[in-house]
Amino acid sequence: MTTTTTSGTQAPADEVELAIGGMTCASCAARVEKKLNRMDGVSATVNFATEKARVSYAPGVSVDDLVATVEKTGYTAQPPPPPAPARPEDGTRAGADGREGEDGRELASLRQRFLVSLALSVPVVLLSMVPALQFDNWQWLSLTLAAPVVVWGALPFHRAAWTNARHGAATMDTLVSLGTTAALGWSLWALFLGDAGMPGMRHGFELTVSRSDASSALYLEVAAGVTTFILLGRYLEARSKRSAGAALRALLELGAKEVTVLRGGRETLVPVAELAVGDRFLVRPGEKIATDGTVVEGSSAVDASMLTGESVPVDVSAGDTVTGATVNTSGRLVVEATRVGSDTQLARMARLVEDAQSGKAEVQRLADRVSAVFVPVVLLISLGTLGFWLGTGGGPAAAFTAAVAVLIIACPCALGLATPTALMVGTGRGAQLGILIKGPEVLENTRRVDTVVLDKTGTVTTGRMELRDVVAAGGEDEDEVLRLAGALEHASEHPIARAIAAGAAERVGALPPVERFENAAGLGVRGTVEGREVAVGRERLLAESALELPAELAGARDAAEAEGRTAVAVAWDGRVRGLLAVADAVKPTSAEAITRLRALGLTPVLLTGDNRAVAESVAREVGIDASGGRVIAEVMPQDKVDVVKRLQDEGRSVAMVGDGVNDAAALAQADLGLAMGTGTDAAIEAGDLTLVRGDLRAAADAIRLSRKTLATIKGNLFWAFGYNVAALPLAAAGLLNPMIAGAAMAFSSVFVVTNSLRLRAFR
């Protein structure tokens, strides 16, 4: 994720997130953003979908100054609430509940306004469109029903248009307010001053403009119908935006509410907010783990599917780390808290998702720039259309119809929703699957990458040694060789010893006790098992006792080392009895992950500090071709970043997957950094994408989800731009009835949001 900085600019000192009220379309967001960015030392991004402004500001600028600027623009701004104790039990920030309640009230108000307007508009539309239903003086009933819709139903549009007009601006609300008010005003003129109020007047309906007597032309169905359609669009849009953010809200609500803390030998039930680092707490079967910690007693299986997307529970025992909000499925655990409040993995995940949803992709910035100038241009086109039709003899009624259709069809709502809604749904779905996307610019990078560099240890392999092979000398039993070696190694803490002991326990069962255990540093171990003097270790350990490998075992040793494995000899009672081969275990899902990455058009490159034999062995096992520079071995940790640079210099766009401290620089240098969430904080901070579960298949899923989200954004923008480009000429040419234009405009926004919601089905 190579970044550039502009020399001579000073980094802003602080950052704040303001809740912006009163925005109704992308033009509003663009205005607020423009005003904030005009302030000295201020850099702001305003997101219409999330209704938030992310503002960086320099010393000398206060939050009150920012709020005042937004209010001068005609909108409201709410600063963040004062610091309050962290509440990890529900993951919410102070004030979040209030915001949720406000959203709910706004949705209920929109629904009520729409339903009342619908009930009043349907008779007006039917009476105006179906001459057979028109009785004497039907037009006065239509006026009685339509007037409340235009005055009360469209009140939010009129209010916003007036506010914007006072600040010398025009937005989507300006277009709607002007269009509906003009339609009602024309109808009032025709009814009271023209011939439309005469008893027995009949009114036809056509989808296209036709020449007619202006004094008898009514537009009551346009005024009421457009208002109702746009209210429906607003309601569906608001409801869909809530659905789009549902994944983040679900993530924030995952945590436990209460926890059983062990204090002074007693169990005490307390709110999770009272937990401190170092506290020990009890987790019974079926309970959620209250916060991140280390198991100090007990063993169990933990279901982490809500955080990682991984359905198979993970076995944990003393010494293993556990994550808050995961579920203890079986045994009783005592856990020592290592992170609480905003430091927990759940809180960090929520922050990453929220940050990503607040940002803007480059394509959205283009859409915002278009939206900012779009409304004034549409007003000019509408006036031009009116003048053209009047000048060419089209008549006042035809000219008015075309001009109103232009006003109503052109609202750029879909442009403002195209990116934020797709981002909200895509990042939220990613969080459910254990994929955290840091920001919208990451999506652009996933499209370009063609090479993926995989750090071997901890990424392709488990990073833990594992017993791979047992070879017995002639006349010896493999299980007996492994049983005695495992018993002796069980007393050692060395990674190789632990691998042998674990392999022996799994294959032969219970291991016998050891007497007179002795550790020969760097060589191996000796001891007495069941009365036999046993030695397990390197050949140098055996040479001290004048023991040599038989030819058959020497051949097995050479074969193991050629495969990049570590060979360990086993001897007792004056003879070498067998050979054990151990190696860093390849994750069972790594080969499938490589296949998936290739299917995405990526060339996998294996990177490791191990010798070439080990690297090529792992490459063969997972299906990476060792030729053509696709296996890079014997690389020092500090040189990993140089490898990434070299690949970039060759013209490649590089993604890097890693998990360790020594991967952080390479992750930052890469065009796309993917950090395994099982790794270090340094690696996670340096990555663009964080894979919460330590499964390499998640890397392929992350790139696929990112590309799908970007494709959805582009599809939305294509529809939004295409709709406006195609519809404006039709309206100006008089080929669209204003009511049909209103319906089309409202449903363009609904289409964009619905298209984004399809990302929730990503698997």
Side-chain angles (χ1 to χ4, degrees):
M1 61 172 193
T2 309
T3 58
T4 57
T5 55
T6 307
S7 59
T9 60
Q10 187 179 355
D14 215 340
E15 190 173 271
V16 68
E17 190 173 77
L18 302 175
I20 307 295
M23 294 194 301
T24 55
C25 67
S27 299
C28 301
R31 281 191 62 229
V32 176
E33 187 173 297
K34 187 176 179 181
K35 290 285 187 183
L36 285 170
N37 283 325
R38 280 182 176 171
M39 297 175 67
D40 289 337
V42 172
S43 173
T45 300
V46 180
N47 191 311
F48 169 50
T50 59
E51 297 179 347
K52 289 178 180 176
R54 179 66 57 81
V55 189
S56 297
Y57 57 97
V61 179
S62 69
V63 174
D64 290 340
D65 295 334
L66 301 174
V67 171
T69 298
V70 175
E71 289 176 347
K72 283 177 189 172
T73 314
Y75 304 90
T76 63
Q78 247 183 330
R87 294 176 58 201
E89 71 273 16
D90 62 11
T92 56
R93 302 176 180 184
D97 293 338
R99 180 69 197 172
E100 194 71 15
E102 186 182 322
D103 288 345
R105 286 191 295 274
E106 184 184 343
L107 201 62
S109 172
L110 266 175
R111 184 172 180 271
Q112 180 190 43
R113 208 174 282 270
F114 161 67
L115 290 175
V116 172
S117 298
L118 178 66
L120 295 174
S121 298
V122 168
V124 177
V125 172
L126 288 175
L127 285 171
S128 300
M129 292 175 64
V130 184
L133 298 177
Q134 294 169 2
F135 50 86
D136 285 350
N137 296 315
W138 66 270
Q139 63 271 42
W140 296 102
L141 174 63
S142 292
L143 174 64
T144 305
L145 296 174
V149 176
V150 179
V151 176
W152 175 79
L155 185 60
F157 310 127
H158 302 319
R159 190 185 291 130
W162 172 245
T163 301
N164 288 317
R166 279 172 36 223
H167 292 89
T171 65
M172 165 200 157
D173 297 292
T174 308
L175 302 181
V176 175
S177 179
L178 276 176
T180 54
T181 304
L184 179 65
W186 181 286
S187 301
L188 288 171
W189 176 82
L191 283 167
F192 288 101
L193 301 176
D195 301 329
M198 301 287 290
M201 191 276 283
R202 295 294 180 265
H203 186 278
F205 176 82
E206 293 182 20
L207 290 178
T208 58
V209 171
S210 59
R211 294 171 185 265
S212 61
D213 181 9
S215 64
S216 62
L218 291 178
Y219 292 94
L220 292 171
E221 81 282 3
V222 170
V226 164
T227 300
T228 303
F229 276 127
I230 294 176
L231 281 172
L232 173 61
R234 280 278 175 89
Y235 171 67
L236 293 175
E237 179 186 303
R239 200 173 68 171
S240 298
K241 278 159 64 177
R242 278 172 62 87
S243 299
L248 179 58
R249 286 196 297 276
L251 191 66
L252 290 169
E253 291 165 5
L254 280 177
K257 304 292 183 280
E258 294 181 315
V259 59
T260 304
V261 181
L262 302 176
R263 288 175 180 163
R266 297 178 56 189
E267 297 181 6
T268 308
L269 191 66
V270 300
V272 172
E274 295 181 14
L275 262 184
V277 173
D279 280 347
R280 293 193 173 191
F281 58 92
L282 180 65
V283 191
R284 296 182 179 88
E287 291 183 344
K288 287 182 179 178
I289 295 171
T291 193
D292 298 358
T294 304
V295 178
V296 291
E297 287 179 31
S299 60
S300 179
V302 172
D303 178 2
S305 57
M306 68 285 294
L307 289 183
T308 66
E310 182 58 62
S311 58
V312 180
V314 178
D315 292 328
V316 297
S317 57
D320 290 333
T321 57
V322 289
T323 305
T326 55
V327 179
N328 178 20
T329 62
S330 50
R332 176 184 183 276
L333 296 175
V334 175
V335 180
E336 182 175 311
T338 55
R339 285 175 172 164
V340 296
S342 59
D343 293 330
T344 63
Q345 184 171 344
L346 177 64
R348 291 163 70 199
M349 283 176 66
R351 273 200 306 277
L352 280 171
V353 174
E354 196 169 23
D355 288 348
Q357 292 181 350
S358 298
K360 290 186 181 181
E362 195 55 42
V363 284
Q364 179 63 30
R365 296 187 185 281
L366 172 63
D368 286 350
R369 287 195 293 273
V370 170
S371 297
V373 299
F374 196 70
V375 174
V377 168
V378 167
L379 289 172
L380 290 175
I381 292 174
S382 179
L383 286 172
T385 300
L386 183 68
F388 172 81
W389 281 85
L390 288 173
T392 54
F400 179 79
T401 302
V404 170
V406 167
L407 283 178
I408 290 169
I409 197 72
C411 298
C413 269
L415 283 177
L417 291 167
T419 294
T421 52
L423 262 181
M424 288 172 75
V425 181
T427 54
R429 181 61 184 146
Q432 291 175 333
L433 297 173
I435 299 163
L436 304 182
I437 302 170
K438 269 198 177 173
E441 64 281 352
V442 172
L443 305 179
E444 307 275 3
N445 294 337
T446 59
R447 179 174 54 87
R448 290 190 289 266
V449 293
D450 53 32
T451 302
V452 57
V453 176
L454 308 169
D455 177 60
K456 180 184 79 69
T457 306
T459 301
V460 178
T461 65
T462 61
R464 298 188 304 274
M465 302 300 281
E466 184 180 80
L467 180 68
R468 307 301 290 273
D469 199 9
V470 181
V471 181
E476 300 292 342
D477 178 62
E478 284 186 3
D479 285 354
E480 182 68 1
V481 169
L482 185 57
R483 190 174 75 91
L484 295 178
L488 191 58
E489 295 283 35
H490 187 65
S492 172
E493 289 299 315
H494 193 280
I496 291 177
R498 286 203 300 268
I500 293 171
E506 184 179 339
R507 181 164 163 177
V508 301
L511 302 174
V514 179
E515 298 173 5
R516 296 196 300 275
F517 175 81
E518 178 190 343
N519 180 34
L523 296 178
V525 292
R526 298 188 186 94
T528 303
V529 183
E530 295 179 340
R532 303 174 191 177
E533 295 298 325
V534 182
V536 182
R538 299 178 182 273
E539 286 182 70
R540 281 174 54 197
L541 179 70
L542 305 182
E544 290 180 2
S545 303
L547 297 176
E548 290 186 7
L549 287 180
E552 57 192 306
L553 294 184
R557 174 204 61 201
D558 294 340
E561 289 178 350
E563 288 288 318
R565 299 174 180 178
T566 300
V568 179
V570 183
W572 67 79
D573 295 343
R575 281 185 54 201
V576 179
R577 311 283 180 156
L579 194 81
L580 309 176
V582 297
D584 184 5
V586 172
K587 292 178 182 178
T589 56
S590 290
E592 183 186 344
I594 298 300
T595 302
R596 291 190 188 182
L597 290 168
R598 273 212 193 87
L600 291 169
L602 303 174
T603 301
V605 174
L606 186 67
L607 180 66
T608 179
D610 288 341
N611 65 55
R612 187 152 197 90
V614 172
E616 291 186 352
S617 170
V618 171
R620 280 194 298 274
E621 193 167 342
V622 298
I624 295 177
D625 184 358
S627 64
R630 293 181 186 174
V631 174
I632 304 173
E634 299 174 19
V635 177
M636 298 297 288
Q638 62 270 25
D639 295 333
K640 289 182 178 181
V641 68
D642 295 329
V643 171
V644 173
K645 283 181 182 175
R646 188 172 73 242
L647 290 170
Q648 289 171 328
D649 290 342
E650 292 172 6
R652 304 194 202 188
S653 184
V654 179
M656 167 80 186
V657 187
D659 74 331
V661 172
N662 56 31
D663 297 325
L667 287 168
Q669 173 63 36
D671 299 286
L672 181 70
L674 295 94
M676 303 295 271
T678 50
T680 64
D681 289 348
I684 292 169
E685 286 299 321
D688 298 300
L689 290 157
T690 299
L691 315 175
V692 176
R693 64 184 194 269
D695 183 343
L696 190 56
R697 289 179 301 182
D701 290 339
I703 292 172
R704 201 161 50 87
L705 173 62
S706 297
R707 287 180 175 178
K708 194 171 180 65
T709 304
L710 182 65
T712 302
I713 289 171
K714 291 190 170 180
N716 286 347
L717 287 169
F718 174 80
W719 166 262
F721 273 116
Y723 156 82
N724 279 306
V725 167
L728 268 175
L730 288 175
L735 299 176
L736 277 181
N737 179 279
M739 190 170 66
I740 304 301
M745 188 281 293
F747 283 100
S748 69
S749 296
V750 175
F751 170 84
V752 161
V753 177
T754 306
N755 188 45
S756 296
L757 288 172
R758 291 190 307 123
L759 286 167
R760 291 198 295 186
F762 179 85
R763 292 287 180 271

